[in-house]
Amino acid sequence: MENTLIAFRNVWKTYQMGEVQVNALKAVSVKFRKGEFAAIVGPSGSGKSTMMNLVGCLDIPTKGEIFLKGRNIAWLEESDLAALRGRTIGFVFQQYNLIPGMTALENVLLPLEIQEIDDGVAEKRAKKLLALVGLSDKIQHKPSQLSGGQQQRVSIARALACNPEIILADEPTGALDSVTGKELLAMLHRLWKEEGKTIVMVTHDLHLARYARRHIELKDGKIVRDGINEEKLDPEIHYEVPETEA
Amino acid sequence: MKTGKILRIALSMVKSNKLRSWLTIIGVIIGIASVMAIVTTGEYFEKEVTETLEGFGGDTITIVASTPFQITDEEFMVEDSVVEGSGDLEEGLEENSENSEVGSGMITEAGEYEVEAKTSTADYLEPESAEEAELTKMDVFTLRRIPAIEYINVNVEHGTELQFGGENVWVWIKGVDPAVWPRIIKKDLEQGRMLKAGDRNVVVLSNELAKEGFQKEIRLNQMIMLNGRSYRVVGILAEGGGLLGGLTGLFGSSLYMPYQEIYSLSSDEDSPERERDTYSSIEVKLYKGADYNSSIQEIENKLRLSRRVNENTQDFYVNSNKEAIENVRKLINGLTAFLAFIAGISLLVGSTGIANTMFTSVLEKTKEIGIMKAIGARNRDIMLIFLCNSAMISLVGGIIGILLGTAAVQAVLFFLSIKMNAPFEFALSLKATFIATFVSIIVGLIAGLVPAKNASELKPVDALRYE
């Protein structure tokens, strides 16, 4: 239990669709431990997105319990949950979800400002992270001035801003070309391997899922398989991580 | 989240849609400028009218002798035909009192004027009771015994011709107690000095008389002639300030001199010499803090006793401008409040504009709200961002509105000052400025409250899904 970051205990999530109740998740119990690289896979409508929202504490279950670092999220005050989420989880979304009116630097600074980190420290850290993802020369660019891959790298820098224990990636390569997608996966892989981050990736692409150590397969709202990925990582992957500042 | 960061994000939201923000701001500008202009103008005119009325006496209490009219329906029933055509009422009374019987006149066919005898049942006032009442030294002694009174000034008024530089002008002279008058007069001195005890053959002139009464300006220490006597001008009063300042000179007395000298002055055929130690009026000024209404009552009661009159036979009246000033002030305040209320409606419309903009903004920013919540923003942070956004819009509108409203007031006053040939005075109401600033912020906050609350309560998962 010590290493468990997120635990689902008999979690149900039900949506009301007009007159009909749809169970998106049915009695799901699962744990995500520190240092894992897990992929949640499954076909469309299997409950991946619902699971992703619950893992990210963006939603609360209809029934059952979810524990984030040992604390039941249903019992937390909104502000406490927001603060805990901000400190513990970094999000990488499929559509990047950067704030369009802010520059790359401001986007990365935002979570630090929300956590009321000292301005000087925050700026230094944001610049370092942007350098880590190879965007030192683009810090004053707004999202509209960046390519998809660059936006996703800003998104990763933002996810890392508060040094979270978990990186939650929702179809992170979904909007990227294959080369950029590989670059991004290499980056996530390095964060897992070198930085010891816990990565939870939601994807429908089994090819991508192969890079994860653990596979959780969903079907019709239920976990149908949860196991270690025995397949070796694709040797074709070159970790072409851009040069970073020391 | 720190306040500075919240303000920065709110500002970036305002700037992100400049056109919409400015259109909303214009709505607030119109409302605030209207309120500002109306309240400032109202306050300015209240001050002007009050000062003008105070120039006519202000908070001094004036006692004037007045012949009582004891006319009731039973005592005084005069046929319309009798009173019709008669001059003033007193004249009519005198005529009627000479004839105990009167009849209505008619012309016969033969052209003779016949008087139809008719016995009147009406009684008339005794001629004695119509005698002119006077204020005397006795009344001054009576007033001196009232502890609330600080100053007593006696006035003897008289109209006569003033000769200067070969011109004759009819002036209204006010004889005053030179020892007291300077202490109760509401006007300032422009040149020279006020009257003082022991003054003889000297006068103080109003600014209007000295400068505009004659073709040639009357200067300090020049001699003027009144009824063939020479008087030296020792003082010239200052001109009444503001737009209505000229009214004091127009309706007030224009020449002041020690009252003792009026008695010897008024000796021409048209106006018989006034009996010494009788006064046209007595002005009284109370000590600060004295109860105004009870003092007036006490003055009335004591004078009734000493003059041996009662409520019905009272031969004087106690007049106070204070009540008139209060009434005028109330009237202007009421009018200003009413107009400000009308202007406030435009402010209300402006505030609905803010609310509308904020709702649109919340819709537009829904996804951003979701992103911010996902990365740790609390409901409070989101709410404050949107509240600051609306407060900024209304505050900018408020500041520009205050400037425009003030400018509009100055333009109106400048135009009026040219029209009325009066000096232009800058008018700025601190009260209106404070109210406008306060109201603009409050309006912004209230208008932004519901949209901000809606934004803050969005579930991150729903907000992120919003397209």
Side-chain angles (χ1 to χ4, degrees):
Chain A
M1 191 72 184
E2 274 177 30
N3 285 329
T4 303
L5 286 175
I6 301 165
F8 278 43
R9 192 183 289 167
N10 193 29
V11 168
W12 288 72
K13 185 69 189 176
T14 308
Y15 296 108
Q16 191 74 37
M17 309 286 276
E19 298 286 309
V20 187
Q21 280 194 336
V22 177
N23 292 316
L25 285 184
K26 298 167 190 167
V28 171
S29 293
V30 68
K31 285 176 183 173
F32 295 94
R33 293 182 182 84
K34 199 170 181 179
E36 270 190 335
F37 190 163
I40 300 170
V41 295
S44 184
S46 60
K48 295 189 305 290
S49 294
T50 304
M51 182 118 173
M52 154 90 183
N53 292 332
L54 292 169
V55 172
C57 301
L58 297 172
D59 205 354
I60 51 168
T62 312
K63 210 163 74 180
E65 290 164 320
I66 296 174
F67 296 89
L68 176 63
K69 294 183 87 178
R71 299 171 76 179
N72 189 335
I73 64 165
W75 294 352
L76 289 174
E77 289 282 325
E78 178 278 330
S79 57
D80 294 336
L81 181 60
L84 187 62
R85 184 168 56 223
R87 286 195 304 270
T88 318
I89 305 168
F91 290 89
V92 179
F93 299 98
Q94 182 179 0
Q95 292 301 330
Y96 333 125
N97 282 351
L98 298 176
I99 308 252
M102 293 181 177
T103 63
L105 180 65
E106 287 168 341
N107 266 291
V108 180
L109 275 171
L110 191 59
L112 296 163
E113 288 172 346
I114 288 171
Q115 297 301 329
E116 299 189 357
I117 307 290
D118 178 73
D119 284 0
V121 175
E123 192 168 335
K124 210 171 163 184
R125 178 160 178 80
K127 282 180 176 170
K128 195 175 172 184
L129 286 167
L130 282 167
L132 187 75
V133 297
L135 291 173
S136 292
D137 55 339
K138 306 267 193 251
I139 60 171
Q140 293 305 334
H141 284 53
K142 291 199 170 170
S144 58
Q145 298 166 314
L146 298 170
S147 68
Q150 287 169 332
Q151 287 186 59
Q152 195 60 298
R153 279 193 263 159
V154 175
S155 169
I156 290 178
R158 184 182 64 186
L160 294 170
C162 292
N163 196 21
E165 290 164 87
I166 309 163
I167 301 288
L168 200 53
D170 181 15
E171 303 276 10
T173 61
L176 301 176
D177 60 72
S178 60
V179 177
T180 320
K182 278 182 181 178
E183 277 178 18
L184 189 101
L185 272 172
M187 210 175 281
L188 288 176
H189 200 265
R190 202 180 73 159
L191 286 169
W192 168 59
K193 204 152 195 182
E194 294 176 16
E195 304 286 329
K197 299 286 180 199
T198 305
I199 314 278
V200 178
M201 181 172 69
V202 173
T203 181
H204 69 282
D205 187 345
L206 290 172
H207 180 71
L208 284 181
R210 284 185 302 160
Y211 307 123
R213 189 88 177 100
R214 181 184 173 193
H215 280 187
I216 298 165
E217 194 178 337
L218 285 173
K219 194 175 179 188
D220 296 331
K222 284 183 176 173
I223 295 176
V224 291
R225 192 172 79 88
D226 182 0
I228 301 297
N229 176 23
E230 299 296 345
E231 192 180 353
K232 285 185 179 176
L233 291 176
D234 192 342
E236 294 288 310
I237 288 180
H238 301 291
Y239 295 120
E240 294 165 353
V241 178
E243 286 182 13
T244 57
E245 284 178 5
Chain B
M1 206 166 176
K2 288 177 186 167
T3 314
K5 305 297 172 194
I6 285 171
L7 288 173
R8 188 173 58 78
I9 295 173
L11 184 64
S12 73
M13 277 169 69
V14 173
K15 287 200 287 191
S16 69
N17 200 327
K18 283 181 185 155
L19 180 65
R20 194 174 60 210
S21 296
W22 275 111
L23 288 174
T24 315
I25 287 168
I26 286 169
V28 181
I29 290 173
I30 293 168
I32 291 287
S34 312
V35 171
M36 182 76 192
I38 286 166
V39 174
T40 306
T41 312
E43 223 175 65
Y44 177 78
F45 278 105
E46 185 204 332
K47 186 183 106 214
E48 281 294 308
V49 171
T50 305
E51 278 177 6
T52 305
L53 287 177
E54 279 181 348
F56 294 132
D59 56 352
T60 54
I61 297 166
T62 309
I63 299 136
V64 182
S66 127
T67 307
F69 296 106
Q70 294 172 287
I71 305 160
T72 62
D73 288 346
E74 292 79 20
E75 290 172 339
F76 190 69
M77 291 173 63
V78 183
E79 294 275 333
D80 286 351
S81 55
V82 175
V83 179
E84 224 172 80
S86 63
D88 59 21
L89 190 57
E90 206 170 315
E91 202 179 312
L93 285 173
E94 280 168 7
E95 281 174 16
N96 295 335
S97 62
E98 286 167 12
N99 307 296
S100 57
E101 290 177 353
V102 281
S104 56
M106 61 179 289
I107 297 168
T108 62
E109 282 176 9
E112 292 169 3
Y113 185 79
E114 281 186 4
V115 176
E116 190 186 325
K118 185 178 176 184
T119 305
S120 172
T121 54
D123 286 333
Y124 309 106
L125 282 176
E126 290 298 316
E128 289 79 13
S129 65
E131 270 181 17
E132 205 174 323
E134 298 276 16
L135 292 169
T136 63
K137 264 189 174 175
M138 190 61 202
D139 299 311
V140 175
F141 291 142
T142 308
L143 292 171
R144 277 200 184 132
R145 287 199 293 271
I146 297 173
I149 294 175
E150 187 177 13
Y151 296 114
I152 300 169
N153 174 48
V154 293
N155 292 322
V156 182
E157 293 179 18
H158 182 66
T160 193
E161 275 200 342
L162 164 61
Q163 291 171 284
F164 179 75
E167 281 184 81
N168 285 3
V169 168
W170 184 261
V171 290
W172 192 245
I173 306 172
K174 194 171 191 179
V176 295
D177 184 342
V180 178
W181 176 71
R183 293 169 192 273
I184 63 166
I185 189 171
K186 297 280 178 187
K187 291 171 188 169
D188 295 324
L189 202 58
E190 187 180 277
Q191 297 173 54
R193 63 170 177 82
M194 289 287 189
L195 297 173
K196 62 181 183 189
D199 267 346
R200 291 191 69 78
N201 298 327
V202 296
V203 292
V204 169
L205 303 184
S206 71
N207 199 287
E208 292 77 10
L209 177 64
K211 292 189 177 157
E212 288 154 30
F214 295 85
Q215 283 186 341
K216 207 174 138 191
E217 185 182 328
I218 304 176
R219 295 184 185 282
L220 198 66
N221 291 324
Q222 281 189 323
M223 302 301 284
I224 57 162
M225 298 281 281
L226 293 168
N227 267 8
R229 290 184 178 200
S230 291
Y231 293 87
R232 189 163 61 89
V233 178
V234 294
I236 293 169
L237 296 175
E239 199 176 0
L243 285 177
L244 306 174
L247 290 178
T248 321
L250 200 63
F251 298 116
S253 297
S254 49
L255 198 151
Y256 302 87
M257 66 195 305
Y259 74 95
Q260 295 91 338
E261 299 195 37
I262 297 268
Y263 299 120
S264 49
L265 191 69
S266 56
S267 56
D268 55 54
E269 288 173 6
D270 295 336
S271 60
E273 191 170 333
R274 185 181 260 280
E275 197 181 328
R276 282 195 174 269
D277 294 329
T278 61
Y279 317 118
S280 311
S281 62
I282 299 174
E283 283 175 319
V284 157
K285 189 165 178 167
L286 303 179
Y287 280 106
K288 268 192 177 171
D291 187 324
Y292 206 78
N293 292 332
S294 68
S295 300
I296 288 180
Q297 198 56 52
E298 192 178 358
I299 289 167
E300 267 188 344
N301 290 343
K302 293 230 161 126
L303 284 178
R304 275 180 202 154
L305 269 176
S306 72
R307 293 173 74 88
R308 291 180 185 150
V309 290
N310 59 33
E311 207 171 322
N312 296 324
T313 58
Q314 186 170 314
D315 57 354
F316 66 93
Y317 63 88
V318 181
N319 180 35
S320 152
N321 274 345
K322 194 171 181 177
E323 205 176 331
I325 291 170
E326 281 304 312
N327 287 339
V328 171
R329 198 179 270 170
K330 272 182 199 164
L331 183 74
I332 294 175
N333 278 343
L335 199 63
T336 306
F338 174 71
L339 292 174
F341 173 74
I342 301 288
I345 293 172
S346 63
L347 189 59
L348 190 71
V349 174
S351 71
T352 57
I354 297 178
N356 191 23
T357 298
M358 295 313 299
F359 275 119
T360 313
S361 189
V362 169
L363 276 182
E364 264 184 12
K365 305 277 177 190
T366 299
K367 186 140 194 168
E368 288 179 31
I369 293 165
I371 297 167
M372 290 176 76
K373 286 197 146 191
I375 60 177
R378 298 162 184 85
N379 285 1
R380 183 183 143 270
D381 298 330
I382 303 292
M383 183 146 179
L384 281 175
I385 287 169
F386 279 89
L387 275 182
C388 287
N389 186 352
S390 62
M392 274 176 190
I393 286 175
S394 59
L395 188 64
V396 171
I399 290 168
I400 298 174
I402 287 169
L403 294 176
L404 275 183
T406 308
V409 171
Q410 309 318 314
V412 169
L413 291 181
F414 183 71
F415 177 74
L416 281 176
S417 68
I418 291 172
K419 279 276 173 198
M420 296 176 77
N421 201 21
F424 168 72
E425 266 183 30
F426 181 83
L428 175 66
S429 164
L430 287 178
K431 187 172 87 180
T433 311
F434 176 76
I435 291 173
T437 312
F438 182 73
V439 165
S440 66
I441 294 173
I442 293 294
V443 158
L445 289 178
I446 291 173
L449 195 64
V450 177
K453 195 166 181 295
N454 286 356
S456 73
E457 286 174 356
L458 277 172
K459 282 168 72 177
V461 63
D462 296 333
L464 279 169
R465 216 180 280 146
Y466 186 85
E467 291 295 339

